Amino acid sequence: MDTEQKKGFFGLIQCRYIVACLGSIGMAIAYGLKVNLSVAIVTMVNHTALELSNSQVQSDRPPIQHSMCLFNDSNHNSIIEDGPFKWSNTLQGTILSSYFWGYLISLIPGGRIAELFSAKWVMFFAIAINTICTLLTPITAKIHYSILIMMRVGQGIGGGVTFPAMHVLLARWSLPNERSVMSSVVYAGTSLGTVLSTLSAGIIADYINWEAVFYIMGGLNVIWLVLWVFFVFDDADSSPIISENEKKLINSLLKGNYSSAKKSFPLKQVLTSMPFWAILIAHTCSNWGWYMILIELPLYMKSILQLNVSESSKFISLGFFLMWVFSILLSRSLDYFRGKKIITTTFARKISTLIASVIPLGCFLGLSYIGCSRGGAIALTILAIVAIAGMFCGFLSNHIDIAPNYAGTLVAFTNTIATIPGIVVPMFVGGLIENDPGIYSWRIIFFTTIILYIIEIFFYVIFASGEEQDWNKNNNDNVEAQPLKNPQSPDGSKQDYKATLN
């Protein structure tokens, strides 16, 4: 077929959508492998031995008044088969948080490597490392928990570069008026991956065993690795399967905003930029609530709502599925209103971030006082999960708006700081419930989350911006950005850009 006549890959789909779809699946894999241990660990631990050990330790201490719920059904009597490991709550928190130790190490180097060399191969090796470490999890857990922690650190190193790599690819492939949708499609993969991982991990652990969780979920990733190598490329110019029309469209619309030249990072300008600090603070505060749900929700449902692992995984999966649907609908709506000039990019980012913070804040406040209403607590947790989807087309997309040339490094910087909650949350929760596993401890946990959401709301609303910053053009090889009269057309005319693909 002649190059000029091609209309995307095999005439079926535009290449930028291939990048978005495979990127979304890649993020789903990364997040699925991040959270599967949070579910599986419930069946890996010998709860009987742990309770006996705790009762012996507590016998010499003054009694603690636990506020526990009692339900008139058999859910809390549905005993989970004890696993082989006598890991304390504190050690479980350490194992879960160790993922983020590796995450911190790789973020900034990964972002710069993706920008300067190849985001495609950074993403490939990220998933490959996660796959290998997941397959080795059962073996290393049996040898010693310290080796399991090393595997989790390895997974974190791979997971840490996924956001920077995908930010670089989005900056090079997403058209300005499709950026919210493409970002949401890609990053909604995190919620889709959580849905599939939580649900399948619970079912596999219940009906097969905990080891099968890691072997099955790790082995399936090989398919993605092959597809990624052959169908995804760093930019339009390097893709052999792209049509000339799509290549011209992408290069025309992104010229002046993104440059493939290797440039030094404008650190001083970034650190004095309030829009950057708005993203950083929002990312960090929001991640506390995000990791609270992502990592600790199975424990909350087991200890307070007294649901077994398969039941809790169903409710969590429902929440993340609705989150995935809501993220697509929200991003499509915002891009529509932006295209009609009804709202600005700044307004779109702020309203999305507010949705992702105000609603979960209210849900955590409700959980603090709802007591033992199982139905109400489940409804509030699902609502909180759904609302957090606003972050995908909110502050997470905002890095690309203010500086597409440095999107990978910017998200690496903010994600580095925002990873600290991932380390602190499991240890914080584990330490509190070690002494008092009841509602009072969870109320302290929820109110800490509420305070951080309030900080996020005020700072982001005041200082965030959706406009490109002047320092994005630093050392831009003397390429002057020419303002487009119409962002939907490569030549500035009012012709719909889609017409150029026909």
Side-chain angles (χ1 to χ4, degrees):
M1 179 181 290
D2 186 89
T3 306
E4 290 290 344
Q5 295 177 331
K6 288 192 299 182
K7 295 183 179 179
F9 178 61
F10 292 149
L12 299 175
I13 185 172
Q14 301 299 322
C15 286
R16 63 188 184 277
Y17 301 145
I18 295 176
V19 173
C21 290
L22 286 178
S24 180
I25 297 171
M27 296 302 295
I29 292 171
Y31 259 70
L33 300 185
K34 177 192 289 189
V35 303
N36 61 2
L37 183 60
S38 299
V39 178
I41 201 170
V42 178
T43 62
M44 294 168 67
V45 173
N46 190 323
H47 298 279
T48 303
L50 188 60
E51 288 176 6
L52 289 173
S53 176
N54 287 340
S55 63
Q56 291 173 0
V57 172
Q58 295 287 344
S59 61
D60 295 330
R61 297 180 181 176
I64 298 176
Q65 296 298 320
H66 301 297
S67 177
M68 303 297 292
C69 295
L70 297 176
F71 295 102
N72 295 322
D73 57 35
S74 60
N75 276 322
H76 60 283
N77 294 322
S78 191
I79 305 297
I80 300 170
E81 184 179 351
D82 281 331
F85 306 113
K86 299 177 182 179
W87 295 336
S88 68
N89 287 322
T90 302
L91 179 56
Q92 291 177 54
T94 301
I95 292 171
L96 292 174
S97 69
S98 61
Y99 177 95
F100 299 97
W101 306 349
Y103 205 85
L104 277 173
I105 295 170
S106 63
L107 275 166
I108 295 177
R112 287 306 283 161
I113 292 171
E115 286 173 349
L116 298 177
F117 298 101
S118 174
K120 167 186 174 175
W121 289 108
V122 167
M123 187 68 179
F124 173 86
F125 285 112
I127 302 302
I129 292 170
N130 266 269
T131 298
I132 293 170
C133 291
T134 297
L135 292 172
L136 292 175
T137 293
I139 298 172
T140 55
K142 291 177 181 178
I143 296 173
H144 197 265
Y145 67 80
S146 61
I147 306 178
L148 171 61
I149 288 175
M150 291 174 60
M151 290 299 101
R152 292 293 291 175
V153 171
Q155 282 188 257
I157 291 173
V161 302
T162 53
F163 269 95
M166 286 312 308
H167 255 55
V168 172
L169 288 171
L170 284 169
R172 298 178 182 181
W173 281 97
S174 62
L175 305 183
N177 65 325
E178 292 180 344
R179 186 162 292 157
S180 291
V181 173
M182 286 189 65
S183 296
S184 290
V185 167
V186 169
Y187 295 129
T190 60
S191 58
L192 184 60
T194 305
V195 169
L196 298 176
S197 180
T198 303
L199 187 59
S200 59
I203 293 173
I204 293 169
D206 267 359
Y207 291 97
I208 305 179
N209 55 53
W210 65 269
E211 296 174 68
V213 172
F214 304 100
Y215 291 134
I216 293 173
M217 297 180 69
L220 292 174
N221 299 337
V222 176
I223 300 172
W224 181 91
L225 292 170
V226 174
L227 294 175
W228 186 262
V229 169
F230 288 103
F231 298 131
V232 173
F233 301 89
D234 282 304
D235 51 39
D237 290 331
S238 63
S239 174
I241 63 174
I242 194 172
S243 69
E244 285 299 316
N245 284 335
E246 187 182 11
K247 182 187 292 186
K248 290 177 182 178
L249 173 68
I250 291 173
N251 288 337
S252 297
L253 288 176
L254 299 184
K255 184 178 180 180
N257 290 326
Y258 158 70
S259 171
S260 60
K262 298 178 180 180
K263 300 173 292 298
S264 59
F265 185 73
L267 181 60
K268 182 178 179 181
Q269 292 95 320
V270 170
L271 294 180
T272 55
S273 171
M274 292 311 295
F276 167 76
W277 280 101
I279 297 172
L280 174 63
I281 291 174
H283 199 166
T284 303
C285 294
S286 181
N287 263 20
W288 181 279
W290 173 238
Y291 288 129
M292 188 67 66
I293 288 175
L294 203 64
I295 300 173
E296 301 301 336
L297 195 55
L299 178 60
Y300 171 75
M301 287 194 162
K302 176 184 178 295
S303 61
I304 300 300
L305 303 186
Q306 299 177 10
L307 299 172
N308 64 37
V309 66
S310 61
E311 290 171 328
S312 64
S313 66
K314 291 174 185 177
F315 289 118
I316 296 170
S317 297
L318 174 62
F320 280 103
F321 173 75
L322 295 175
M323 178 190 195
W324 175 67
V325 173
F326 177 65
S327 67
I328 303 300
L329 294 176
L330 178 63
S331 61
R332 290 282 294 177
S333 300
L334 292 175
D335 271 353
Y336 172 80
F337 289 122
R338 286 172 61 216
K340 295 291 185 180
K341 308 295 183 184
I342 297 175
I343 62 174
T344 64
T345 300
T346 300
F347 181 84
R349 301 301 177 232
K350 288 184 177 182
I351 195 66
S352 299
T353 301
L354 282 174
I355 290 172
S357 53
V358 173
I359 295 176
L361 183 157
C363 292
F364 280 116
L365 183 62
L367 286 172
S368 299
Y369 293 102
I370 202 167
C372 296
S373 173
R374 178 186 282 164
I378 291 173
L380 286 174
T381 54
I382 290 176
L383 179 59
I385 292 172
V386 174
I388 288 176
M391 72 180 179
F392 299 133
C393 51
F395 63 81
L396 280 180
S397 298
N398 207 181
H399 305 81
I400 304 174
D401 300 321
I402 66 172
N405 279 319
Y406 306 103
T409 302
L410 288 183
V411 76
F413 265 107
T414 64
N415 217 2
T416 296
I417 304 302
T419 298
I420 294 175
I423 298 173
V424 175
V425 163
M427 301 176 73
F428 175 64
V429 173
L432 280 174
I433 66 173
E434 188 84 47
N435 295 321
D436 182 359
I439 294 175
Y440 296 140
S441 290
W442 284 99
R443 188 171 294 167
I444 295 172
I445 293 166
F446 293 150
F447 265 95
T448 303
T449 307
I450 289 169
I451 292 170
L452 291 172
Y453 271 131
I454 292 172
I455 295 172
E456 173 190 355
I457 291 166
F458 279 100
F459 210 93
Y460 195 82
V461 167
I462 295 171
F463 295 109
S465 172
E467 302 302 318
E468 181 185 356
Q469 302 300 295
D470 292 337
W471 44 266
N472 178 61
K473 301 181 180 67
N474 179 50
N475 296 327
N476 206 17
D477 295 335
N478 297 320
V479 176
E480 293 295 331
Q482 298 298 326
L484 296 171
K485 297 178 182 178
N486 184 345
Q488 294 180 324
S489 174
D491 60 1
S493 67
K494 295 183 179 180
Q495 173 187 356
D496 189 342
Y497 78 93
K498 292 182 180 179
T500 64
L501 300 178
N502 298 324

